[in-house]
């Protein structure tokens, strides 16, 4: 059990318990989790006996035990067994504390007597002579039990309550709790039943009670076939030198009496780690001075409390230590009696023990969770929109302006605000939902924030209110903590939240979620084990406690303010016209609720409690789907979305949209829009009613001169006048690079100047590709956007699943047909070359645009000369210059929505080689690998001119019998034939 000290039988160990004034429990100093132990009675000594059931202490019994306990408990000692008494199964020996003999110290202080010679029975301490001499000195000086002061002997006998002598029937547990709840009580632990159950003396009344440690439960110690003996106050001596009965302690409460009456003779083994948990508790608190804070009482009058034991200059929480080391579990029934901070510490400790699979949790399998941690995704940006009290949209500073990936939706981690409702489903906002959204809007819109993304969660649409039954689509929500860099103090803000985070050093700024919770506009989500949560979860819980105690927001007993808003955007045109007089001839404050297009918005007018559709007078942006339409919307979202603005309403149009001017921070936003080259001024109806009309004209002229955005191809003098019906229609021209050539004159291109290309490439390069997905965890289906490895160069690119095996994936070699949406390539690859793709990357539209050579008919791959035509087009585009000019002649939308290679909207283009300034369309005609389209009966003039220009190239190939003209004229083909042109004639 203990290491030997030479060959003389001396052993080393540590004192674990002190049952009485003449006995010690010593455990070995091995590294075993439960070291062996011995109970040693000091040779030739007899200490006064402590009270047994129904009895009283012998004089000075308690002082004797306390002297030895304080002298030795927890100390390293050296000991040797001098002799044994087999009839009572006890060992007697000598114990040294350092170089001092403990028996000599006890006798010298008068706390034990040396047994009489007649009781030796042939065995005695090797230090008997010295013991007798010290006993005589103690008697002469009146030390300890030899005190001759009148009444001292009687005064040393404790006045014990019934609970201390085996009669708990009159013990008032509720009264004790009521008098001492929340107040630390001094106590001495006399027995450890299991890791989380103690029997203690409460000082100074010596109430002997059983205490369950609050908030935890350690493994059971099982049940023995016979009643268990324990080291406690009953180990005393009836006979000389400790030849005493070790009669067990009687049950102390009704719970124990019930257990004893129902006890079976069948032995029940301890639960796993039950012995280890008990030992862990024993070596920390058994026979030690502790402090107990009572939290409650169970129905069996057992006390429930928190136990703190000394550790140097500080005190440690025994419950927390047990949970942190994997010796106990968190239990809600008793934790509910504790303070919130203590509960949070226990739950966090248990979660950490589960993650490390420590002891009790060795075989723990975490429950399935739909949340996934996000690591190392921090960014800064400006808040563009507040969707609700717990969801905001932020423009990422690191993403190019105008990119569809620039705006990122961030849900605030671990909090939940009242729902905003859905007007389409006739769902009204929940109480305090509007207030929560407005609280964030006034503090965040346009402000710089730091964002730390923390986790994502897949949410089934069927789980949301109003979702239709049936197979549910799922969407992924990203959660993070948002920190306001330069907070503005608002009325009712939780000031302690700001102080907490600005001093934390982890993030600069104020935690926005903490502000919302502290103001009483959100609750903190109680996550399940292993669910990802905010890195600042404890701070959120503390803010919630402050909001509850302050009865703020949703925690107050008051009803939320009721606001009725008249939504004129869904009203009839007649109703909007009737409302016009209330809005005209005055400048009104308003809030931009939504940017519908670059020049049209939904506004809330608080003074009139209505929402209206509003548009700039005389200013128009490109429509949906037209070039720079998205740029205009993104620009105005950055400038005015959810900002406080001022408007002047001039009139209302026939659709119910109010027309007028809008100012943000005293800046006319129509002027800003025109200066950016994202709108045109329409003056056909006059400018006399438009405020700042001269500024609008100057702004448009400035954009023209700089050839910004919609004016990039503008040539001075080509346009007669703005808004005129004689305005010449310009053909759109794109700078492109060809990425894939198909048959029939079709090919894919990427726009060179498109900022989306660089943005998507940056997103892809930043991805941290993991190992191949586990079978069954990732099952891509037709139409899904995934990450695929291109076989030619092993690069990873966005791709759409075109064809997939039926059912679940069974092998990494299962084949999937994929279409690379950014390049136009299509191939079949194995499952091992696929990876799931984050929705923030897959949401952007594909960068590859399908085009076809305008005005000419190129044979398909299955037709004669189709292969030659495809090879030649490949040589012209992929083996030639990297940059082409594509002049859009027409658009073919008959292909429907994009589902794979060669489908979707097709741009009919004239492809110009930028190096030679020659037409690829004409080159194919000249080489006899294409022919002109049939002329139509009625053709626009520009088409006639283009066909006439190309006709000479086809005529040259036909004359030289090149390519498809090798065997003569092909005009007999029936496809694309037009009805014969009829001559003009009158009636027959």
């Amino acid at each position: 059990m203990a290491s030997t000290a030479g060959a003389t039988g001396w052993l080393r160990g540590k004192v674990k318990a002190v049952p009485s004034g003449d006995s010690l429990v010593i455990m070995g100093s091995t590294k075993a989790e439960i070291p062996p132990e011995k109970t040693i009675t000091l040779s030739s000594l007899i200490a006064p006996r402590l009270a047994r059931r129904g009895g009283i202490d012998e004089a000075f019994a308690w002082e004797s035990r306390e002297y030895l306990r304080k002298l030795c408990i927890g100390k390293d000692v050296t000991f040797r067994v001098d002799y044994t008494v087999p009839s009572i199964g006890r060992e007697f020996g000598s114990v040294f504390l350092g170089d001092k003999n403990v028996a000599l110290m006890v006798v010298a202080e008068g706390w034990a007597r040396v047994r009489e010679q007649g009781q030796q029975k042939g065995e005695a301490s090797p230090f008997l002579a010295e013991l007798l001499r010290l006993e005589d000195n103690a008697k002469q000086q009146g030390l300890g039990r030899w005190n001759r002061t009148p009444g001292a002997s009687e005064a040393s006998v404790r006045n014990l309550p019934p609970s201390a002598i085996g009669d708990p029937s009159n013990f008032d547990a509720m009264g004790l709790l009521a008098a001492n709840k929340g107040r630390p009580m001094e106590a001495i632990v006399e027995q450890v039943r299991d890791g989380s159950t103690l029997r203690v003396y409460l000082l100074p009344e010596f109430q002997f009670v059983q205490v369950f440690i609050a908030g935890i439960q350690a493994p059971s110690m099982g049940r023995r076939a016979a009643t268990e003996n324990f080291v406690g106050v009953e180990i005393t001596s009836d006979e000389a030198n400790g030849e005493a009965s070790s009669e067990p302690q009687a049950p102390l409460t009704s719970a124990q009496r019930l257990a004893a009456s129902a006890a079976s003779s069948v032995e029940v083994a301890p639960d796993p780690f039950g012995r280890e948990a008990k030992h862990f508790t024993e070596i920390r608190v058994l026979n030690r001075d502790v402090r107990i804070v009572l939290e409650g009482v169970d129905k069996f009058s057992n006390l429930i409390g928190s136990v703190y034991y000394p550790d140097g200059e500080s005190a440690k929480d025994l419950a927390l230590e047990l949970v942190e080391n994997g010796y106990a579990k968190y239990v809600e029934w008793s934790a509910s009696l504790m303070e919130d901070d203590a509960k949070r510490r226990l739950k966090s400790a248990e979660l950490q023990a589960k993650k490390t699979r420590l002891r009790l949790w060795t075989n723990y399998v975490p429950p399935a969770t739909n949340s996934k941690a996000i690591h190392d995704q921090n960014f800064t940006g400006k808040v563009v929109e507040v969707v609700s009290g717990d969801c905001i949209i932020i423009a990422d500073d690191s993403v190019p302006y105008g990119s569809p990936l620039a705006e990122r939706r961030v849900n605030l981690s671990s909090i939940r605000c009242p729902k905003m409702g859905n007007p389409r489903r006739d769902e009204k906002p929940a109480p305090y939902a509007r207030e929560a959204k407005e609280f964030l809007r006034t503090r965040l819109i346009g402000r710089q924030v730091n964002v730390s993304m923390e986790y994502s969660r897949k949410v089934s649409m069927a789980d949301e209110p109003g979702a239709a039954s049936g197979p549910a689509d799922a969407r992924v929500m990203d959660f993070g903590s948002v920190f306001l860099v330069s907070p503005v103090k608002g009325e009712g803000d939780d000031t302690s939240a700001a102080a907490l985070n600005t001093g934390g050093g982890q993030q600069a700024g104020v935690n926005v979620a903490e502000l919302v919770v502290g103001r009483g506009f959100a609750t903190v989500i109680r996550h399940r084990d292993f669910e990802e949560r905010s890195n600042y979860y404890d701070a959120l819980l503390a803010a919630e406690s402050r909001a509850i105690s302050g009865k703020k927001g949703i925690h107050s007993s008051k009803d939320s303010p009721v606001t009725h808003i008249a939504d004129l955007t869904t009203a009839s045109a007649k109703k909007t016209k009737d409302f016009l007089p209330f809005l005209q001839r005055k400048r009104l404050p308003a809030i931009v609720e939504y940017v519908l297009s670059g020049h049209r918005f939904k506004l809330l007018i608080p003074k009139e409690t209505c929402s209206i559709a509003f548009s700039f007078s005389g200013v128009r942006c490109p429509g949906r789907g037209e070039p720079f339409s998205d740029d205009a919307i993104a620009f105005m979202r950055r400038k005015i979305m959810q900002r406080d603005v001022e408007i002047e309403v001039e009139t209302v149009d026939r659709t119910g949209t109010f027309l007028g001017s809008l100012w943000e921070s005293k800046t006319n936003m129509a002027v800003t829009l025109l200066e950016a080259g994202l709108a045109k001024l329409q003056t056909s109806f006059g400018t006399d009613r438009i405020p700042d009309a001269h500024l609008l004209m100057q702004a448009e002229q400035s954009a023209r001169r700089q050839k910004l955005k919609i004016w990039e191809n503008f040539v001075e003098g080509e346009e007669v006048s703005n808004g005129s019906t004689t305005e010449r229609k310009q053909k759109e021209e794109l700078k492109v690079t060809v990425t894939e050539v198909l048959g029939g004159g079709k090919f894919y291109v990427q726009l060179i100047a498109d900022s989306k290309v660089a943005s998507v490439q940056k997103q892809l390069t930043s991805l941290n590709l993991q190992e191949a997905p586990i079978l069954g965890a990732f099952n891509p289906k037709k139409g899904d956007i995934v990450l695929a490895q291109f076989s030619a160069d092993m690069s990873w690119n966005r791709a759409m699943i075109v064809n997939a095996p039926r059912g679940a994936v069974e092998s990494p070699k299962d084949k999937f047909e994929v279409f690379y949406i950014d390049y136009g390539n299509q191939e079949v690859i194995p499952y091992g070359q696929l990876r799931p793709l984050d929705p923030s990357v897959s949401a952007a539209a594909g960068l590859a645009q399908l085009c076809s050579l305008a005005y000419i008919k190129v044979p398909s791959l299955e037709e004669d000369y189709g292969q030659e035509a495809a090879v030649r087009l490949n040589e012209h585009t992929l083996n030639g210059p990297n940059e082409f000019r594509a002049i859009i002649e027409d658009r073919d939308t008959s292909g429907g929505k994009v589902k794979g290679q060669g489908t979707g909207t097709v741009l009919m283009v004239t492809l110009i080689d930028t190096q030679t300034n020659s037409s690829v369309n004409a080159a194919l005609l000249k080489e006899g690998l294409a022919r002109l389209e049939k002329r139509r009966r009625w053709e626009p003039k520009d088409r006639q001119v283009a066909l006439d220009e190309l006709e000479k190239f086809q005529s040259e190939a036909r004359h030289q019998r090149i390519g498809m003209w090798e065997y003569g004229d092909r005009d007999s083909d029936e496809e694309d034939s037009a009805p014969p042109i009829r001559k003009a004639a009158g009636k027959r």
Side-chain angles (χ1 to χ4, degrees):
M1 71 160 257
S3 59
T4 59
T8 58
W10 289 95
L11 304 171
R12 294 193 184 96
K14 179 176 287 189
V15 177
K16 175 182 176 181
V18 181
S20 64
D22 57 5
S23 62
L24 304 168
V25 178
I26 304 173
M27 61 182 182
S29 57
T30 63
K31 294 182 179 179
E33 193 155 15
I34 305 180
E37 57 187 48
K38 281 182 178 291
T39 300
I40 299 295
T41 302
L42 298 177
S43 299
S44 300
L45 295 190
I46 299 176
R49 186 178 61 186
L50 290 167
R52 299 171 62 190
R53 187 183 334 131
I56 62 172
D57 288 344
E58 290 185 355
F60 301 103
W62 178 253
E63 289 84 349
S64 173
R65 202 290 291 265
E66 283 299 276
Y67 174 79
L68 187 59
R69 181 181 72 84
K70 293 177 180 179
L71 178 68
C72 297
I73 194 70
K75 303 287 182 63
D76 290 319
V77 296
T78 305
F79 69 97
R80 182 180 66 181
V81 176
D82 296 330
Y83 58 93
T84 62
V85 180
S87 61
I88 58 174
R90 298 178 69 179
E91 296 178 311
F92 298 82
S94 301
V95 180
F96 279 79
L97 186 62
D99 58 352
K100 297 181 179 179
N101 189 326
V102 172
L104 298 181
M105 297 170 70
V106 171
V107 173
E109 294 295 329
W111 297 120
R113 64 184 176 86
V114 182
R115 66 177 181 168
E116 299 175 4
Q117 290 294 324
Q119 298 172 336
Q120 291 291 342
K121 298 182 181 177
E123 298 289 350
S125 169
F127 307 97
L128 180 61
E130 183 65 15
L131 289 174
L132 292 171
R133 184 185 68 78
L134 291 173
E135 182 183 42
D136 291 339
N137 290 341
K139 288 179 180 179
Q140 292 174 8
Q141 298 177 36
L143 298 179
R145 65 176 298 168
W146 312 113
N147 192 332
R148 293 186 291 273
T149 304
S153 178
E154 292 77 5
S156 68
V157 178
R158 294 177 296 167
N159 183 18
L160 297 174
S163 64
I165 52 176
D167 183 13
S169 57
N170 295 325
F171 175 59
D172 184 8
M174 291 301 298
L176 182 67
L177 174 67
N180 298 280
K181 183 174 175 58
R183 182 174 65 85
M185 301 180 67
E186 300 293 335
I188 298 175
V189 178
E190 293 297 324
Q191 182 195 2
V192 176
R193 294 195 63 200
D194 58 48
S196 58
T197 309
L198 312 177
R199 285 176 174 170
V200 303
Y201 275 132
L202 295 178
L203 303 179
E205 289 84 7
F206 290 100
Q207 290 281 7
F208 192 64
V209 297
Q210 180 160 276
V211 177
F212 291 119
I213 301 177
I216 67 167
Q217 182 174 339
S220 168
M221 282 298 295
R223 183 174 63 242
R224 295 187 180 182
T227 307
E228 180 181 359
N229 296 335
F230 60 88
V231 177
V233 295
E234 265 62 53
I235 302 182
T236 54
S237 301
D238 264 336
E239 302 177 11
N241 203 15
E243 296 181 14
S245 67
S246 54
E247 183 178 341
Q249 172 77 20
L252 297 178
T253 67
S254 56
Q256 282 80 59
R257 290 199 302 273
L258 181 63
S261 63
S264 168
S265 60
V266 179
E267 181 172 348
V268 178
D271 290 341
F273 295 100
R275 297 185 189 278
E276 291 83 349
K278 179 181 178 184
H279 176 73
F280 182 89
T281 300
E282 284 178 336
I283 62 176
R284 282 160 176 77
V285 300
L286 181 59
N287 287 160
R288 315 287 179 105
D289 294 306
V290 298
R291 290 188 177 184
I292 296 177
V293 179
L294 297 182
E295 311 284 2
V297 174
D298 68 7
K299 61 183 179 180
F300 298 114
S301 296
N302 292 304
L303 296 170
I304 300 167
S306 300
V307 179
Y308 301 89
Y309 66 92
D311 182 47
E313 297 297 324
S314 61
K316 285 195 173 181
D317 183 352
L318 180 58
L320 189 61
E321 290 287 303
L322 284 164
V323 174
E324 284 179 342
N325 287 277
Y327 286 122
K329 298 180 179 180
Y330 173 87
V331 288
E332 185 62 40
W333 70 269
S334 61
S336 60
L337 303 171
M338 306 170 66
E339 294 182 354
D340 290 339
D341 286 344
K343 289 172 61 177
R344 284 197 295 271
R345 287 194 295 270
L346 288 179
K347 293 189 76 172
S348 298
E350 183 185 61
L351 182 60
Q352 187 59 37
K354 287 179 177 178
K355 287 181 177 179
T356 55
R357 288 181 166 82
L358 192 60
R359 296 187 176 91
L360 276 177
W361 310 108
T362 301
N363 300 318
Y364 177 74
V365 178
T369 175
N370 61 352
S371 61
K372 180 181 178 182
I374 298 177
H375 301 289
D376 302 325
Q377 279 200 27
N378 301 333
F379 67 95
T380 61
K382 285 188 177 179
V383 178
V384 175
E385 180 182 355
V386 175
V387 180
S388 64
D390 53 12
C391 179
I392 59 180
I393 295 177
I394 301 168
D396 190 343
D397 289 344
S398 64
V399 180
Y401 178 81
S403 168
L405 303 177
E407 294 187 2
R408 301 182 62 173
R409 181 182 291 256
V410 178
N411 298 278
L412 300 180
S413 297
S414 298
I415 72 169
R416 182 179 290 118
C417 285
K419 294 183 180 295
M420 284 299 298
N422 191 332
R424 295 179 182 176
R425 301 184 188 135
D426 199 25
E427 295 175 2
K428 294 182 179 180
Y432 289 102
R434 289 185 186 275
E435 289 78 4
K437 181 178 178 180
E438 181 65 11
F439 176 80
L440 282 190
R441 186 193 73 82
T442 56
R443 286 157 177 79
L444 295 186
I445 288 297
R447 307 297 300 280
Q448 192 77 12
V449 294
N450 296 325
V451 183
S452 174
M453 300 307 298
E454 292 164 335
Y455 62 93
S456 63
R457 191 174 74 226
K458 185 176 287 188
V459 179
S460 172
M461 302 300 287
D463 295 338
E464 298 188 355
S469 59
D473 293 330
R475 62 188 179 96
V476 177
M477 300 172 66
D478 293 333
F479 293 81
S481 292
V482 179
F483 297 86
L484 189 55
V485 176
S486 302
V488 176
K489 178 71 171 65
E491 182 181 353
D493 283 4
D494 186 2
T495 55
S496 56
L500 180 65
N501 283 298
T502 52
Q506 296 183 5
Q507 284 283 354
V510 175
N511 190 338
V512 172
E514 198 173 341
L515 277 180
V516 177
V517 173
R519 188 61 180 82
F521 289 135
T523 56
V524 180
I525 298 171
R526 267 53 182 180
H527 293 282
R528 293 177 297 174
D529 287 345
F530 278 81
E531 268 192 345
E532 299 296 336
R533 63 197 66 196
S534 169
N535 294 334
Y536 308 90
Y537 192 69
D538 289 345
L540 295 178
L541 290 171
E544 184 180 46
S545 297
R546 293 192 297 269
I548 293 173
S549 61
K551 296 183 178 180
K552 296 181 180 179
I554 58 179
H555 307 294
S556 68
S557 56
K558 299 178 182 178
D559 294 332
S560 63
V562 179
T563 304
H564 297 286
I565 304 296
D567 191 354
L568 298 181
T569 61
T570 59
S572 64
K574 181 180 182 304
K575 185 174 181 180
T576 56
K577 289 180 180 179
D578 293 341
F579 212 85
L580 180 61
F582 298 99
L583 304 179
Q584 275 183 317
R585 295 183 294 278
K586 55 185 174 182
R587 186 171 288 198
L588 294 170
I591 299 170
V592 181
E593 286 194 321
Y594 200 75
V595 175
L596 303 170
S597 69
H599 62 269
R600 190 166 180 266
F601 322 103
K602 182 180 179 180
L603 305 181
L604 170 66
I605 305 176
K607 186 176 180 181
E608 303 295 338
T609 62
C610 67
S611 293
I612 65 170
F614 179 87
S615 182
F616 290 135
S617 287
V619 176
R620 290 295 175 269
C621 294
R624 292 276 183 179
E626 296 181 4
F628 303 108
S629 169
D630 292 341
D631 296 66
I633 292 174
F635 181 80
M636 295 309 289
R637 281 176 63 84
R638 293 274 187 109
K639 293 293 184 181
I640 64 171
M641 181 67 182
Q642 292 188 336
R643 307 284 182 98
D644 292 308
V645 297
E646 290 183 326
I647 62 169
E648 281 187 7
V649 175
E650 300 162 15
T651 185
V652 61
D653 67 13
R654 61 184 180 181
T655 64
T657 300
F658 292 88
L659 305 178
S661 300
L662 181 148
W663 291 266
E664 195 273 328
S665 299
K666 299 183 179 180
T667 300
N668 190 324
M669 294 311 300
V671 173
T672 305
L673 189 62
L674 288 166
E675 284 178 340
L678 293 170
K680 291 183 178 181
L681 184 60
Q682 310 238 325
T683 58
S684 56
F685 59 88
T687 60
D688 54 327
R689 293 183 301 172
I690 303 178
D692 304 331
H694 65 291
L695 295 178
L696 300 181
M697 293 180 181
Q698 292 174 8
E700 185 184 54
Q701 291 170 3
S702 173
R704 281 187 188 180
R705 285 194 300 271
Q706 300 176 61
K707 293 191 176 183
L708 298 177
K709 301 296 183 180
I710 63 176
W711 305 108
E712 63 181 5
N713 299 317
F714 173 72
V715 177
E716 194 70 35
E718 284 197 352
E719 290 190 341
V720 178
S721 63
N722 271 331
S724 170
T725 56
T726 61
E727 179 179 338
R728 177 181 171 184
K729 181 180 179 182
Q730 293 183 328
K731 290 183 179 179
E732 186 180 353
E733 186 174 307
L734 306 174
K735 292 181 180 179
V736 301
T737 179
V738 178
T739 58
E740 177 73 355
V741 172
L742 311 179
K746 291 185 177 180
F747 53 95
Y748 277 95
V749 300
Q750 276 188 1
L751 302 185
I752 291 178
D754 192 354
S755 61
K756 299 176 185 176
V757 177
S759 175
V760 169
Q761 289 175 348
K762 182 178 179 181
Q763 290 277 337
L764 291 176
T765 55
S766 67
L767 292 177
N768 183 18
L769 297 179
Q770 302 173 349
E771 297 293 330
I774 300 173
L775 294 180
F778 171 53
N779 290 304
K781 58 182 181 296
K782 188 174 181 179
D784 285 354
I785 304 298
V786 300
L787 202 61
Q789 192 174 34
F790 185 43
S791 300
D793 59 4
M794 305 308 288
S795 62
W796 290 93
N797 303 280
R798 297 191 303 163
M800 181 173 65
I801 303 295
V802 178
N803 282 309
R806 292 185 177 180
V809 179
E810 298 178 353
S811 167
K813 296 182 180 180
D814 284 0
K815 299 297 183 181
F816 287 77
E817 187 173 4
V818 298
F819 168 59
Y820 296 98
I821 62 175
D822 295 327
Y823 296 94
N825 317 59
Q826 187 160 319
E827 66 171 344
V828 177
I829 60 174
Y831 174 77
Q833 290 179 225
L834 298 178
R835 299 289 186 276
L837 188 58
D838 190 272
S840 63
V841 182
S842 64
L847 303 177
Q849 172 61 54
L850 181 60
C851 298
S852 181
L853 296 175
Y855 305 131
I856 65 174
K857 183 72 176 178
V858 182
S860 67
L861 294 175
E862 293 77 19
E863 295 177 320
D864 292 340
Y865 297 99
Q867 295 284 349
E868 292 86 343
V871 171
R872 193 69 183 120
L873 180 58
N874 189 81
E875 292 173 351
H876 276 298
T877 56
L878 295 178
N879 297 338
N882 291 328
E883 184 176 321
F884 292 86
R885 287 188 295 120
I887 302 172
I888 300 177
E889 310 289 354
D890 200 358
R891 285 179 168 85
D892 181 6
T893 59
S894 62
K897 297 181 179 179
V898 176
K899 291 295 182 185
Q901 190 180 55
T903 61
T905 300
V906 184
L907 299 183
M908 316 301 294
V909 301
T910 298
L911 196 63
I912 306 296
D913 186 331
T914 55
Q915 291 184 354
T916 62
N917 203 31
S918 61
S919 166
V920 175
N921 308 48
L924 289 182
L925 285 172
K926 188 175 181 180
E927 294 168 3
L929 297 175
R931 60 186 175 86
L932 281 176
E933 291 179 348
K934 296 292 184 180
R935 293 182 182 266
R936 302 168 189 165
R937 181 177 301 168
W938 309 108
E939 288 184 330
K941 187 174 181 179
D942 59 343
R943 178 180 169 85
Q944 291 180 12
V945 172
L947 289 173
D948 291 343
E949 186 71 23
L950 294 172
E951 178 72 36
K952 58 185 179 182
F953 297 101
Q954 179 173 284
S955 298
E956 182 180 347
R958 183 187 297 174
H959 178 72
Q960 298 180 11
R961 292 183 178 262
I962 298 174
M964 65 175 60
W965 310 110
E966 180 181 0
Y967 300 107
D969 200 344
R970 294 175 57 92
D971 283 348
S972 61
D973 288 356
E974 294 181 357
E975 47 178 329
D976 296 335
S977 61
I981 300 176
R982 294 175 57 186
K983 295 182 180 179
K987 293 183 179 179
R988 291 186 179 179

